[in-house]
């Protein structure tokens, strides 16, 4: 079984799907330190693929994407007023831009 490299040109997407894939920007201390390297972190749909994320970010911000790294974060088990509960699982996408200027992206105004 051979793995075929993905091609972002093969992904077709309507504008509503873009907003389903990119949920919100993730603003943490670690994700803001990534902006020094031209990276922006987003919370994305659990079923979104790397080519879909790449096309969605390029359509949303009008910038060329160099790479997309993803990871699935499992939800924690927490207690609220003595009752056990569980936070939901989510998927993070760390997007690296080609020109290396992640600071130029207005993440809060674009979504």
């Amino acid at each position: 079984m051979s793995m075929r490299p993905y091609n972002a040109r093969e992904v077709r997407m309507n504008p509503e799907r873009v907003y389903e894939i990119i949920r919100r920007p993730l603003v943490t201390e670690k994700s803001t330190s990534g902006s020094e390297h031209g990276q922006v972190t987003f919370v994305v749909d659990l079923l979104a693929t790397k080519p879909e994320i790449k096309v969605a970010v390029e359509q949303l911000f009008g910038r060329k994407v160099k790479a997309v790294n993803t990871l699935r974060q499992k939800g924690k088990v927490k207690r609220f007023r003595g009752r056990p509960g569980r936070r939901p699982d989510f998927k993070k996408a760390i997007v690296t831009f080609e020109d290396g200027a992640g600071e130029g992206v207005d993440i809060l105004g674009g979504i």
Side-chain angles (χ1 to χ4, degrees), residues 49-102:
T49 61
K50 286 183 181 185
E52 287 178 334
I53 294 168
K54 181 177 180 177
V55 169
V57 170
E58 286 178 349
Q59 285 183 5
L60 213 59
F61 296 105
R63 307 269 305 274
K64 196 74 174 152
V65 173
K66 181 179 178 182
V68 176
N69 295 350
T70 60
L71 62 104
R72 292 177 71 118
Q73 183 77 40
K74 296 291 183 180
K76 293 181 176 181
V77 175
K78 294 288 202 174
R79 299 184 81 79
F80 181 71
R81 293 189 182 176
R83 295 179 181 235
R86 189 167 187 281
R87 291 184 182 172
D89 299 345
F90 64 97
K91 187 173 192 176
K92 285 194 245 185
I94 302 163
V95 178
T96 306
F97 291 102
E98 290 234 347
D99 54 1

Side-chain angles (χ1 to χ4, degrees), residues 3 6 16 19 22-23 42 46 48 54 60 71 91 94 100:
M3 294 290 292
Y6 67 86
E16 292 85 21
Y19 289 103
I22 307 292
R23 298 284 170 90
F42 297 102
L46 280 171
K54 181 177 180 177
L60 213 59
L71 62 104
K91 187 173 192 176
I94 302 163

Side-chain angles (χ1 to χ4, degrees), residues 3 5 12-13 33 36 43 45 55 62 65 69 85 99:
M3 294 290 292
R12 305 255 187 258
M13 195 175 315
S33 69
E36 297 171 3
V43 174
D45 184 30
V55 169
V65 173
N69 295 350
D99 54 1

